[in-house]
Amino acid sequence: MRKIVINGGKLLSGEVAVSGAKNSVVALIPAIILADDIVTLDGVPAISDVDSLVEIIEIMGCVVKRDGETLEIDPRGVKNIPLPYGKINSLRASYYFYGSLLGRFAEATVGLPGGCDLGPRPIDLHLKAFEAMGAKVSYEGESMRLATDGSPLQGAHIYMDTVSVGATINTMIAAAKAQGKTVIENAAREPEIIDVATLLNNMGANIRGAGTDVITIEGVKRLHGTRHQVIPDRIEAGTYIAMAAAIGQGIRVTNVLYEHLESFIAKLEEMGVRMTIDEDSVFVEKQDNLKAVSVKTSPYPGFATDLQQPITPLLLTTQGRGSIIDTIYEKRVNHVAELARMGADISVVGGKTVYNAPDQLTGAAVKATDLRAGAALVTAGLMAQGKTEITNIEFILRGYSNIIEKLTALGADIQLVED
């Protein structure tokens, strides 16, 4: 068993660079299956989700070369084979293979998706879109099969009943090579959607409106190779900015796109966090006398659900009482009990996380229950007096590239230990 061991209470300083966006790259890699030539991605993060996706596409027949943060994928030898449950259930983003395989072969058999347990995350919106485009759904054991009657997918007018990043991206991928025009209404607007649309357009797709609530895709017959730079990870950026405010004495976070973090930055400013925002970086000063605030998540450009857990340890340094309401995943509260184990006055009351601060945290043995909960526990361990041991760290390594090395460079006493 692997665990992260932190000897906390040390102030951090220096510079940390944000890696490429996890939530982009896990969709970009499956989308490349649609291409008829080599596609190169730059800025690919060193995370286990990427390792899993590379292994899957190699099984399918892709030739992959990896050099640091550059990933070269040749999809010309891709075969339409069933993707087994055992390989697929390690990550949620496996559902993007539905869209890419349907777009290329008009059929797909893929194991049901896995990932973090954040409560119900149905894929009914994905299936509704695929069915509107002519696919039929059936189940074979722990896999799902989607297939047309042998003809290509057909463009369709699709209204998303709720705003869904995954369903928006998946529909966009499938529609890129469909016959005719597809319109997605009530589409999600996240930066990662724009990133995937940019890749597809650079490959020859015809997608307009990404980043708005109406996306129009004119299907094309062929997609060619290209080179694409993955956008910076706004969730990783927010995590390090919050960490810098909680335990830093002057930290610059680089490779940051401020426009992707406006609601998050606004909440930090409401707390009184002092920082300097430059063109592609944020310098966070040493903080004092921060004010307790309440946080409510909402779809982009609102406060991101992925950032409510990473900001929680910072909230515990403020003066007063506040709350967190997650309107996207209301069960995203498993970090609360772990923080309470470290001495935080925090609890879940009626679906709302309530905290009283400031709290002096003490090192403890805690467990990461999902990716962003794990990030919160890392920050809490850095803040705490004494030793913190975090288990279930596979969740953390799914989404934070070189986190041990990055924090060590800032002065943290943190190690990944093979138990």
Side-chain angles (χ1 to χ4, degrees), residues 11 110 152 275 289 325 367 391:
L11 290 175
V110 182
M275 53 195 153
N289 299 320
I325 299 175
K367 180 171 67 174
T391 54

Side-chain angles (χ1 to χ4, degrees), residues 225-269:
T226 191
R227 188 164 197 139
H228 178 80
Q229 176 72 43
V230 182
I231 60 171
D233 193 315
R234 61 194 173 99
I235 309 303
E236 184 187 9
T239 299
Y240 284 124
I241 290 169
M243 189 183 290
I247 194 66
Q249 55 179 351
I251 294 177
R252 183 175 300 281
V253 184
T254 64
N255 196 30
V256 176
L257 291 179
Y258 165 73
E259 57 268 30
H260 293 172
L261 287 166
E262 289 188 57
S263 59
F264 177 76
I265 295 291
K267 185 59 65 174
L268 295 186
E269 290 175 338

Side-chain angles (χ1 to χ4, degrees), residues 1-3 366-370 374 390-397:
M1 180 181 69
R2 294 194 298 176
K3 59 186 177 181
V366 292
K367 180 171 67 174
T369 53
D370 60 76
I390 307 172
T391 54
N392 272 22
I393 64 168
E394 285 68 29
F395 283 116
I396 301 169
L397 303 180

